[in-house]
Coordinates of all heavy atoms in Angstrom, one line a residue:
M1 N -312.1 1.0 31.7 CA -313.3 0.5 31.0 C -313.9 -0.7 31.9 O -313.1 -1.6 32.1 CB -313.0 0.1 29.6 CG -314.2 -0.4 28.9 SD -313.7 -0.7 27.2 CE -315.2 -1.3 26.6
T2 N -315.1 -0.6 32.2 CA -315.8 -1.7 32.9 C -316.5 -2.6 32.0 O -317.3 -2.2 31.2 CB -316.8 -1.1 33.9 OG1 -316.1 -0.2 34.8 CG2 -317.4 -2.2 34.8
I3 N -316.2 -3.9 32.1 CA -316.9 -5.0 31.3 C -318.1 -5.4 32.1 O -318.1 -5.8 33.2 CB -315.9 -6.2 31.1 CG1 -314.7 -5.7 30.4 CG2 -316.7 -7.3 30.3 CD1 -313.6 -6.8 30.3
P4 N -319.3 -5.3 31.4 CA -320.5 -5.7 32.1 C -320.5 -7.2 32.4 O -320.1 -8.0 31.5 CB -321.6 -5.4 31.1 CG -321.0 -5.1 29.8 CD -319.5 -4.8 30.1
G5 N -320.9 -7.6 33.6 CA -320.9 -9.0 34.0 C -322.3 -9.4 34.2 O -323.3 -8.7 34.0
P6 N -322.5 -10.6 34.8 CA -323.8 -11.1 35.1 C -324.5 -10.2 36.1 O -323.9 -9.6 37.0 CB -323.5 -12.5 35.8 CG -322.1 -12.8 35.4 CD -321.4 -11.5 35.1
R7 N -325.8 -10.1 36.0 CA -326.6 -9.2 36.8 C -327.3 -9.9 37.9 O -328.0 -9.3 38.7 CB -327.5 -8.3 36.0 CG -326.9 -7.5 34.9 CD -325.6 -6.9 35.3 NE -325.7 -5.5 35.5 CZ -324.8 -4.8 36.2 NH1 -323.8 -5.3 36.7 NH2 -325.0 -3.5 36.3
T8 N -327.4 -11.2 37.9 CA -328.1 -12.0 38.9 C -327.2 -13.0 39.5 O -326.5 -13.7 38.8 CB -329.3 -12.7 38.2 OG1 -330.1 -11.8 37.5 CG2 -330.1 -13.5 39.2
I9 N -327.3 -13.1 40.8 CA -326.6 -14.1 41.6 C -327.7 -15.1 42.1 O -328.6 -14.6 42.8 CB -325.9 -13.5 42.8 CG1 -324.8 -12.5 42.3 CG2 -325.2 -14.6 43.6 CD1 -324.2 -11.7 43.4
V10 N -327.6 -16.3 41.8 CA -328.5 -17.3 42.3 C -327.8 -18.1 43.4 O -326.7 -18.7 43.1 CB -329.0 -18.2 41.2 CG1 -330.0 -19.3 41.7 CG2 -329.7 -17.4 40.1
C11 N -328.3 -18.2 44.6 CA -327.7 -18.8 45.7 C -328.5 -20.0 46.2 O -329.7 -19.7 46.6 CB -327.4 -17.8 46.8 SG -326.5 -18.4 48.2
D12 N -328.0 -21.2 46.3 CA -328.7 -22.3 46.8 C -328.5 -22.3 48.3 O -327.4 -22.4 48.8 CB -328.1 -23.6 46.2 CG -328.8 -24.9 46.7 OD1 -329.5 -24.8 47.7 OD2 -328.6 -25.9 46.0
V13 N -329.6 -22.1 49.0 CA -329.6 -22.0 50.5 C -330.2 -23.3 51.2 O -330.5 -23.2 52.3 CB -330.3 -20.7 51.0 CG1 -329.6 -19.5 50.5 CG2 -331.8 -20.7 50.5
S14 N -330.2 -24.4 50.5 CA -330.8 -25.6 51.0 C -330.1 -26.1 52.2 O -330.7 -26.7 53.1 CB -330.9 -26.7 49.9 OG -329.6 -27.0 49.4
A15 N -328.8 -25.9 52.3 CA -328.0 -26.4 53.5 C -327.9 -25.3 54.6 O -327.3 -25.6 55.6 CB -326.6 -26.8 53.0
L16 N -328.5 -24.2 54.5 CA -328.5 -23.1 55.4 C -329.4 -23.4 56.6 O -330.6 -23.6 56.4 CB -328.8 -21.8 54.8 CG -328.4 -20.5 55.5 CD1 -326.9 -20.4 55.7 CD2 -328.9 -19.3 54.6
D17 N -328.9 -23.3 57.8 CA -329.7 -23.5 59.0 C -330.5 -22.2 59.2 O -329.9 -21.1 59.2 CB -328.9 -23.8 60.2 CG -328.3 -25.2 60.2 OD1 -328.9 -26.1 59.7 OD2 -327.2 -25.4 60.8
P18 N -331.8 -22.3 59.5 CA -332.6 -21.1 59.7 C -332.4 -20.5 61.1 O -333.0 -20.9 62.1 CB -334.0 -21.6 59.6 CG -334.0 -23.0 59.9 CD -332.6 -23.5 59.5
H19 N -331.5 -19.5 61.2 CA -331.2 -18.8 62.5 C -330.9 -17.4 62.1 O -330.7 -17.0 61.0 CB -330.1 -19.5 63.3 CG -328.9 -19.8 62.6 ND1 -328.0 -18.8 62.2 CD2 -328.3 -20.9 62.1 CE1 -327.0 -19.3 61.6 NE2 -327.1 -20.6 61.5
A20 N -330.8 -16.5 63.2 CA -330.6 -15.1 63.0 C -329.3 -14.8 62.3 O -329.2 -13.8 61.5 CB -330.6 -14.4 64.4
R21 N -328.2 -15.5 62.5 CA -326.9 -15.3 61.9 C -327.0 -15.5 60.4 O -326.4 -14.7 59.6 CB -325.8 -16.1 62.4 CG -325.4 -15.7 63.8 CD -324.2 -16.5 64.3 NE -324.4 -18.0 64.1 CZ -324.8 -18.8 65.1 NH1 -325.0 -18.4 66.3 NH2 -324.9 -20.1 64.8
A22 N -327.8 -16.5 60.0 CA -328.0 -16.8 58.5 C -328.8 -15.6 57.9 O -328.4 -15.2 56.8 CB -328.7 -18.1 58.3
I23 N -329.8 -15.1 58.6 CA -330.6 -14.0 58.0 C -329.8 -12.8 57.9 O -329.8 -12.1 56.9 CB -331.8 -13.8 59.0 CG1 -332.7 -15.0 59.0 CG2 -332.6 -12.5 58.5 CD1 -333.3 -15.4 57.7
D24 N -328.9 -12.5 58.9 CA -328.0 -11.4 58.8 C -327.1 -11.5 57.7 O -326.9 -10.5 56.9 CB -327.2 -11.3 60.2 CG -326.3 -10.1 60.2 OD1 -326.8 -8.9 60.0 OD2 -325.1 -10.3 60.3
A25 N -326.5 -12.6 57.5 CA -325.6 -12.8 56.3 C -326.2 -12.7 55.0 O -325.7 -12.0 54.1 CB -324.9 -14.2 56.4
L26 N -327.5 -13.2 54.9 CA -328.2 -13.0 53.6 C -328.6 -11.6 53.3 O -328.5 -11.1 52.2 CB -329.5 -13.9 53.6 CG -329.2 -15.4 53.6 CD1 -330.5 -16.2 53.8 CD2 -328.6 -15.8 52.2
A27 N -329.0 -10.9 54.4 CA -329.3 -9.5 54.2 C -328.1 -8.6 53.8 O -328.1 -7.8 52.9 CB -329.9 -8.9 55.5
R28 N -326.9 -8.9 54.4 CA -325.7 -8.2 54.0 C -325.3 -8.6 52.6 O -324.8 -7.7 51.8 CB -324.6 -8.6 55.0 CG -324.7 -8.0 56.4 CD -323.7 -8.5 57.3 NE -323.9 -8.0 58.7 CZ -323.5 -6.8 59.1 NH1 -322.8 -6.0 58.3 NH2 -323.7 -6.5 60.4
L29 N -325.4 -9.8 52.2 CA -325.1 -10.2 50.8 C -326.0 -9.5 49.8 O -325.6 -9.1 48.8 CB -325.2 -11.8 50.7 CG -324.9 -12.4 49.3 CD1 -323.5 -12.0 48.9 CD2 -325.1 -13.9 49.4
Q30 N -327.3 -9.4 50.2 CA -328.3 -8.7 49.3 C -327.9 -7.2 49.2 O -327.9 -6.7 48.1 CB -329.7 -8.8 49.9 CG -330.7 -8.0 49.3 CD -331.1 -8.5 47.9 OE1 -330.5 -9.3 47.3 NE2 -332.2 -8.0 47.4
L31 N -327.5 -6.6 50.3 CA -327.1 -5.2 50.3 C -325.8 -5.0 49.4 O -325.8 -4.1 48.6 CB -326.9 -4.7 51.7 CG -326.4 -3.2 51.8 CD1 -327.5 -2.3 51.2 CD2 -326.2 -2.9 53.3
S32 N -324.8 -5.9 49.6 CA -323.6 -5.8 48.8 C -323.9 -6.0 47.3 O -323.3 -5.3 46.5 CB -322.6 -6.8 49.3 OG -322.2 -6.5 50.6
S33 N -324.8 -6.9 47.0 CA -325.1 -7.2 45.6 C -325.8 -6.0 45.0 O -325.4 -5.7 43.8 CB -326.1 -8.4 45.6 OG -325.5 -9.6 46.1
R34 N -326.7 -5.4 45.7 CA -327.4 -4.3 45.1 C -326.4 -3.1 44.9 O -326.6 -2.3 43.9 CB -328.5 -3.8 46.0 CG -329.7 -4.7 45.9 CD -330.9 -4.1 46.6 NE -332.1 -5.0 46.4 CZ -333.2 -4.7 46.9 NH1 -333.4 -3.7 47.7 NH2 -334.3 -5.5 46.7
R35 N -325.5 -2.9 45.8 CA -324.5 -1.8 45.7 C -323.7 -1.9 44.4 O -323.3 -0.9 43.9 CB -323.6 -1.8 46.9 CG -324.2 -1.2 48.1 CD -323.2 -1.2 49.2 NE -323.8 -0.6 50.4 CZ -323.3 -0.7 51.6 NH1 -322.2 -1.4 51.8 NH2 -323.9 -0.2 52.6
V36 N -323.5 -3.1 43.9 CA -322.7 -3.3 42.7 C -323.6 -3.6 41.5 O -323.1 -4.0 40.4 CB -321.6 -4.3 42.8 CG1 -320.6 -3.9 43.8 CG2 -322.2 -5.7 43.1
G37 N -324.9 -3.4 41.6 CA -325.8 -3.5 40.5 C -326.3 -5.0 40.2 O -326.7 -5.2 39.1
C38 N -326.2 -5.9 41.2 CA -326.6 -7.2 40.9 C -327.9 -7.5 41.7 O -328.2 -6.9 42.7 CB -325.5 -8.2 41.4 SG -324.0 -8.1 40.4
E39 N -328.6 -8.6 41.3 CA -329.7 -9.0 42.0 C -329.4 -10.4 42.6 O -328.9 -11.2 42.0 CB -330.9 -9.2 41.0 CG -332.2 -9.7 41.6 CD -333.2 -9.9 40.6 OE1 -333.0 -9.7 39.4 OE2 -334.4 -10.3 41.0
L40 N -329.8 -10.6 43.9 CA -329.6 -11.8 44.6 C -330.9 -12.6 44.6 O -332.0 -12.0 45.0 CB -329.2 -11.6 46.0 CG -329.0 -12.8 46.9 CD1 -327.8 -13.7 46.4 CD2 -328.7 -12.4 48.3
R41 N -330.9 -13.9 44.2 CA -332.1 -14.7 44.3 C -331.7 -16.0 45.0 O -330.6 -16.6 44.8 CB -332.6 -15.1 42.9 CG -333.1 -14.0 42.1 CD -333.8 -14.5 40.8 NE -334.2 -13.4 40.0 CZ -334.6 -13.5 38.8 NH1 -334.6 -14.7 38.2 NH2 -334.9 -12.4 38.1
L42 N -332.6 -16.4 45.9 CA -332.3 -17.5 46.8 C -333.2 -18.7 46.3 O -334.4 -18.5 45.9 CB -332.7 -17.3 48.2 CG -332.1 -16.0 48.8 CD1 -332.6 -15.8 50.3 CD2 -330.5 -16.1 48.8
Q43 N -332.6 -19.9 46.2 CA -333.4 -21.0 45.8 C -333.2 -22.2 46.8 O -332.2 -22.2 47.5 CB -333.0 -21.5 44.4 CG -331.6 -22.0 44.2 CD -331.3 -22.5 42.8 OE1 -332.0 -22.2 41.9 NE2 -330.1 -23.1 42.6
H44 N -334.2 -23.0 46.8 CA -334.2 -24.2 47.6 C -334.2 -23.9 49.1 O -333.6 -24.6 49.9 CB -333.1 -25.2 47.3 CG -333.0 -25.6 45.9 ND1 -334.0 -26.2 45.2 CD2 -332.0 -25.3 44.9 CE1 -333.6 -26.4 44.0 NE2 -332.4 -25.9 43.8
A45 N -334.9 -22.8 49.5 CA -335.0 -22.5 50.9 C -335.9 -23.4 51.6 O -337.0 -23.8 51.1 CB -335.5 -21.0 51.1
S46 N -335.5 -23.8 52.8 CA -336.4 -24.7 53.6 C -337.6 -24.0 54.1 O -337.7 -22.7 54.1 CB -335.6 -25.3 54.8 OG -335.4 -24.2 55.7
R47 N -338.7 -24.7 54.4 CA -339.9 -24.1 54.9 C -339.6 -23.2 56.2 O -340.1 -22.1 56.3 CB -340.9 -25.1 55.3 CG -342.3 -24.5 55.7 CD -343.3 -25.6 56.1 NE -342.8 -26.7 56.9 CZ -342.7 -26.6 58.2 NH1 -343.0 -25.5 58.9 NH2 -342.2 -27.6 59.0
E48 N -338.7 -23.7 57.0 CA -338.3 -23.0 58.2 C -337.6 -21.7 57.9 O -337.9 -20.6 58.5 CB -337.4 -23.8 59.1 CG -338.1 -25.1 59.7 CD -338.1 -26.3 58.8 OE1 -337.5 -26.2 57.7 OE2 -338.7 -27.3 59.2
L49 N -336.7 -21.7 56.9 CA -336.0 -20.5 56.5 C -337.0 -19.5 55.9 O -337.0 -18.3 56.2 CB -334.9 -20.8 55.5 CG -334.1 -19.6 55.1 CD1 -333.4 -18.9 56.2 CD2 -333.0 -20.0 54.0
Q50 N -337.9 -20.0 55.1 CA -339.0 -19.1 54.5 C -339.8 -18.4 55.6 O -340.1 -17.2 55.5 CB -339.8 -19.9 53.6 CG -339.1 -20.4 52.3 CD -340.0 -21.2 51.5 OE1 -341.3 -21.1 51.4 NE2 -339.4 -22.2 50.7
E51 N -340.2 -19.2 56.6 CA -341.0 -18.7 57.7 C -340.2 -17.7 58.5 O -340.8 -16.6 58.9 CB -341.5 -19.8 58.6 CG -342.5 -20.7 57.9 CD -342.9 -21.9 58.8 OE1 -342.3 -22.1 59.8 OE2 -343.8 -22.7 58.3
L52 N -338.9 -17.9 58.7 CA -338.1 -17.0 59.5 C -337.9 -15.7 58.7 O -338.0 -14.6 59.3 CB -336.7 -17.6 59.8 CG -335.8 -16.7 60.7 CD1 -336.5 -16.3 62.0 CD2 -334.5 -17.5 61.0
L53 N -337.7 -15.8 57.4 CA -337.6 -14.6 56.6 C -338.9 -13.7 56.6 O -338.9 -12.5 56.7 CB -337.3 -14.9 55.1 CG -335.9 -15.4 54.9 CD1 -335.7 -16.0 53.5 CD2 -334.9 -14.2 55.1
A54 N -340.1 -14.4 56.6 CA -341.3 -13.7 56.7 C -341.5 -13.1 58.1 O -342.0 -12.0 58.2 CB -342.5 -14.7 56.4
F55 N -341.1 -13.8 59.1 CA -341.3 -13.3 60.5 C -340.5 -12.0 60.7 O -341.0 -11.1 61.3 CB -340.8 -14.4 61.5 CG -340.9 -13.9 62.9 CD1 -342.1 -13.8 63.6 CD2 -339.7 -13.6 63.6 CE1 -342.2 -13.4 64.9 CE2 -339.8 -13.2 64.9 CZ -341.0 -13.1 65.6
V56 N -339.3 -11.9 60.1 CA -338.4 -10.7 60.3 C -338.7 -9.7 59.3 O -338.1 -8.6 59.3 CB -336.9 -11.1 60.4 CG1 -336.6 -12.0 61.6 CG2 -336.4 -11.7 59.1
G57 N -339.6 -10.0 58.3 CA -340.0 -9.0 57.3 C -339.1 -8.9 56.2 O -339.1 -7.9 55.4
L58 N -338.3 -9.9 55.9 CA -337.3 -9.8 54.8 C -337.7 -10.7 53.6 O -337.0 -10.8 52.6 CB -335.9 -10.2 55.3 CG -335.2 -9.2 56.2 CD1 -333.9 -9.7 56.6 CD2 -335.1 -7.8 55.5
D59 N -338.9 -11.3 53.7 CA -339.3 -12.2 52.6 C -339.6 -11.4 51.3 O -339.5 -12.0 50.2 CB -340.5 -13.0 53.0 CG -341.7 -12.2 53.5 OD1 -341.5 -11.1 54.0 OD2 -342.9 -12.6 53.3
E60 N -339.9 -10.1 51.4 CA -340.1 -9.3 50.2 C -338.8 -8.8 49.7 O -338.7 -8.4 48.5 CB -341.1 -8.2 50.5 CG -342.5 -8.6 50.9 CD -343.2 -9.3 49.7 OE1 -343.0 -8.9 48.6 OE2 -343.9 -10.3 50.0
V61 N -337.8 -8.6 50.5 CA -336.5 -8.1 50.2 C -335.6 -9.1 49.6 O -334.9 -8.9 48.5 CB -335.8 -7.4 51.4 CG1 -334.4 -6.9 51.0 CG2 -336.7 -6.3 51.9
L62 N -335.5 -10.3 50.2 CA -334.7 -11.4 49.8 C -335.6 -12.3 48.9 O -336.5 -12.9 49.4 CB -334.2 -12.2 51.0 CG -333.2 -11.5 51.8 CD1 -332.9 -12.2 53.1 CD2 -331.9 -11.2 51.1
R63 N -335.3 -12.2 47.6 CA -336.2 -12.9 46.6 C -336.0 -14.4 46.7 O -334.9 -14.9 46.5 CB -335.9 -12.4 45.2 CG -336.3 -10.9 45.1 CD -336.3 -10.5 43.7 NE -337.0 -11.5 42.9 CZ -337.2 -11.3 41.6 NH1 -336.8 -10.2 41.0 NH2 -337.7 -12.3 40.9
L64 N -337.0 -15.1 46.9 CA -337.0 -16.6 47.0 C -337.6 -17.1 45.7 O -338.6 -16.7 45.2 CB -337.8 -17.2 48.1 CG -337.3 -16.8 49.5 CD1 -338.4 -17.2 50.6 CD2 -336.0 -17.5 49.8
E65 N -336.8 -18.0 45.0 CA -337.3 -18.6 43.8 C -338.3 -19.8 44.2 O -338.0 -20.5 45.1 CB -336.2 -19.1 42.9 CG -335.4 -18.0 42.4 CD -334.5 -18.4 41.2 OE1 -334.4 -19.6 40.9 OE2 -334.0 -17.5 40.5
A66 N -339.3 -19.9 43.4 CA -340.3 -21.0 43.6 C -339.6 -22.3 43.4 O -338.7 -22.5 42.7 CB -341.5 -20.8 42.7
G67 N -340.1 -23.3 44.0 CA -339.7 -24.7 43.8 C -339.3 -25.5 45.0 O -339.3 -26.7 45.0
G68 N -339.1 -24.8 46.2 CA -338.8 -25.5 47.4 C -337.5 -26.3 47.4 O -336.6 -26.0 46.7
Q69 N -337.5 -27.3 48.2 CA -336.3 -28.2 48.3 C -336.1 -29.0 47.1 O -337.0 -29.5 46.4 CB -336.4 -29.1 49.5 CG -336.4 -28.4 50.8 CD -335.0 -28.0 51.2 OE1 -334.0 -28.2 50.5 NE2 -334.9 -27.5 52.4
P70 N -334.8 -29.2 46.7 CA -334.5 -30.1 45.6 C -334.8 -31.6 45.9 O -334.7 -31.9 47.1 CB -333.0 -29.9 45.3 CG -332.5 -29.5 46.6 CD -333.6 -28.7 47.3
E71 N -335.0 -32.4 44.9 CA -335.2 -33.8 45.1 C -333.9 -34.4 45.5 O -332.8 -33.9 45.2 CB -335.7 -34.5 43.8 CG -337.0 -33.9 43.3 CD -338.2 -34.8 43.8 OE1 -338.0 -36.0 44.1 OE2 -339.3 -34.3 43.8
E72 N -333.9 -35.6 46.2 CA -332.7 -36.2 46.6 C -331.7 -36.5 45.5 O -330.5 -36.4 45.6 CB -333.0 -37.5 47.3 CG -333.6 -37.4 48.7 CD -332.5 -37.2 49.8 OE1 -331.4 -37.7 49.6 OE2 -332.9 -36.6 50.8
R73 N -332.3 -36.9 44.3 CA -331.4 -37.3 43.2 C -330.9 -36.1 42.4 O -330.1 -36.2 41.5 CB -332.2 -38.2 42.3 CG -333.4 -37.6 41.7 CD -334.2 -38.7 40.8 NE -335.4 -38.1 40.4 CZ -336.6 -38.3 41.0 NH1 -336.6 -39.0 42.1 NH2 -337.7 -37.7 40.5
E74 N -331.4 -34.9 42.6 CA -330.9 -33.7 41.9 C -329.6 -33.3 42.5 O -329.4 -33.3 43.6 CB -331.9 -32.5 42.0 CG -333.2 -32.7 41.2 CD -334.1 -31.5 41.3 OE1 -333.6 -30.4 41.6 OE2 -335.3 -31.7 41.2
Q75 N -328.8 -32.8 41.6 CA -327.5 -32.3 42.0 C -327.7 -30.8 42.5 O -328.3 -30.0 41.9 CB -326.5 -32.2 40.8 CG -325.2 -31.6 41.2 CD -324.2 -31.6 40.0 OE1 -324.6 -32.0 38.9 NE2 -323.0 -31.1 40.2
R76 N -327.2 -30.6 43.7 CA -327.3 -29.3 44.3 C -326.2 -28.4 43.7 O -325.1 -28.7 43.6 CB -327.2 -29.3 45.8 CG -328.3 -30.0 46.5 CD -328.2 -29.9 48.0 NE -329.4 -30.5 48.5 CZ -329.5 -30.7 49.8 NH1 -328.6 -30.4 50.7 NH2 -330.6 -31.3 50.3
V77 N -326.6 -27.2 43.4 CA -325.7 -26.2 42.7 C -325.6 -25.0 43.6 O -326.6 -24.5 44.1 CB -326.2 -25.8 41.3 CG1 -325.3 -24.9 40.7 CG2 -326.4 -27.1 40.5
G78 N -324.4 -24.5 43.8 CA -324.2 -23.3 44.6 C -324.6 -22.1 43.8 O -325.7 -22.0 43.3
V79 N -323.7 -21.2 43.7 CA -323.9 -19.9 42.9 C -323.8 -20.3 41.4 O -322.8 -20.8 41.0 CB -322.9 -18.9 43.3 CG1 -323.0 -17.6 42.5 CG2 -323.0 -18.5 44.8
E80 N -324.8 -20.0 40.7 CA -324.8 -20.3 39.2 C -324.1 -19.2 38.4 O -323.5 -19.5 37.4 CB -326.3 -20.4 38.7 CG -327.0 -21.7 39.3 CD -328.4 -21.8 38.9 OE1 -328.9 -20.9 38.1 OE2 -329.0 -22.8 39.2
E81 N -324.2 -18.0 38.8 CA -323.6 -16.9 38.2 C -322.8 -16.1 39.2 O -323.3 -15.9 40.3 CB -324.6 -16.0 37.4 CG -325.3 -16.7 36.3 CD -326.2 -15.8 35.6 OE1 -325.9 -14.6 35.5 OE2 -327.2 -16.3 35.0
E82 N -321.7 -15.5 38.8 CA -321.0 -14.7 39.8 C -321.0 -13.2 39.4 O -321.2 -12.9 38.2 CB -319.5 -15.2 39.8 CG -319.4 -16.6 40.3 CD -317.9 -17.0 40.3 OE1 -317.0 -16.2 40.1 OE2 -317.7 -18.2 40.6
C83 N -320.9 -12.4 40.4 CA -320.7 -11.0 40.2 C -319.7 -10.5 41.2 O -319.8 -10.8 42.4 CB -322.1 -10.3 40.5 SG -322.0 -8.5 40.2
E84 N -318.7 -9.8 40.7 CA -317.6 -9.4 41.6 C -318.1 -8.3 42.5 O -318.7 -7.3 42.0 CB -316.4 -8.9 40.8 CG -315.7 -10.1 40.1 CD -314.4 -9.6 39.5 OE1 -313.8 -8.7 40.0 OE2 -314.0 -10.3 38.5
L85 N -317.8 -8.4 43.7 CA -318.2 -7.4 44.7 C -317.0 -6.5 45.0 O -315.9 -7.1 45.3 CB -318.8 -8.0 46.0 CG -320.0 -8.8 45.8 CD1 -320.4 -9.4 47.2 CD2 -321.1 -8.0 45.3
D86 N -317.1 -5.2 45.0 CA -316.0 -4.3 45.3 C -315.9 -4.3 46.8 O -316.7 -3.8 47.5 CB -316.3 -3.0 44.7 CG -315.2 -2.0 44.9 OD1 -314.1 -2.4 45.3 OD2 -315.4 -0.8 44.6
E87 N -314.8 -4.8 47.3 CA -314.5 -4.8 48.7 C -314.5 -3.4 49.3 O -314.9 -3.2 50.5 CB -313.2 -5.5 49.0 CG -313.2 -6.9 48.7 CD -314.1 -7.8 49.6 OE1 -314.2 -7.4 50.8 OE2 -314.6 -8.7 49.1
T88 N -314.1 -2.4 48.6 CA -314.0 -1.0 49.1 C -315.4 -0.4 49.3 O -315.5 0.6 50.1 CB -313.2 -0.1 48.2 OG1 -313.8 0.0 46.9 CG2 -311.7 -0.7 48.1
S89 N -316.4 -0.9 48.6 CA -317.7 -0.2 48.7 C -318.6 -0.8 49.9 O -319.6 -0.3 50.2 CB -318.5 -0.3 47.4 OG -318.8 -1.7 47.2
A90 N -318.2 -1.9 50.4 CA -318.9 -2.6 51.5 C -318.8 -1.9 52.8 O -318.0 -1.2 53.2 CB -318.6 -4.1 51.6

């Protein structure tokens, strides 16, 4: 019997450097999330990361939450909800 878990993964990408390896990792995470029925949302993406995602055509696939960078005084949060990924399906 499978217990239903969270369906959305929220990932804080504010510390992520905008480069091709980061885009590749995010795309793979998105694919793995979808395979197990979860949705991946990115928050606090830098302007440079947003532009790179648009340049490679993944801005529509990798969902960015509105809001931009967090304020200095706000606490940065990593993944707010978790969804187990099946290692055998990746």
Side-chain angles (χ1 to χ4, degrees):
M1 177 175 184
T2 304
I3 299 172
R7 303 319 254 165
T8 302
I9 300 169
V10 179
C11 185
D12 182 342
V13 295
S14 59
L16 196 60
D17 289 329
H19 52 70
R21 289 186 310 263
I23 300 298
D24 181 60
L26 290 172
R28 289 175 186 272
L29 182 59
Q30 172 73 342
L31 180 60
S32 296
S33 299
R34 283 191 177 177
R35 284 183 178 161
V36 296
C38 294
E39 176 184 6
L40 177 67
R41 291 188 188 171
L42 307 177
Q43 66 180 9
H44 306 300
S46 67
R47 182 180 49 80
E48 294 85 3
L49 182 59
Q50 292 176 30
E51 290 173 358
L52 185 56
L53 287 170
F55 179 73
V56 298
L58 291 176
D59 56 331
E60 297 294 324
V61 176
L62 294 169
R63 295 194 42 177
L64 296 172
E65 292 197 348
Q69 291 283 3
E71 300 264 339
E72 287 275 336
R73 63 183 172 266
E74 288 184 24
Q75 179 181 2
R76 291 185 176 173
V77 179
V79 176
E80 292 179 0
E81 297 182 29
E82 295 180 7
C83 183
E84 289 188 28
L85 299 178
D86 184 9
E87 293 292 328
T88 60
S89 67

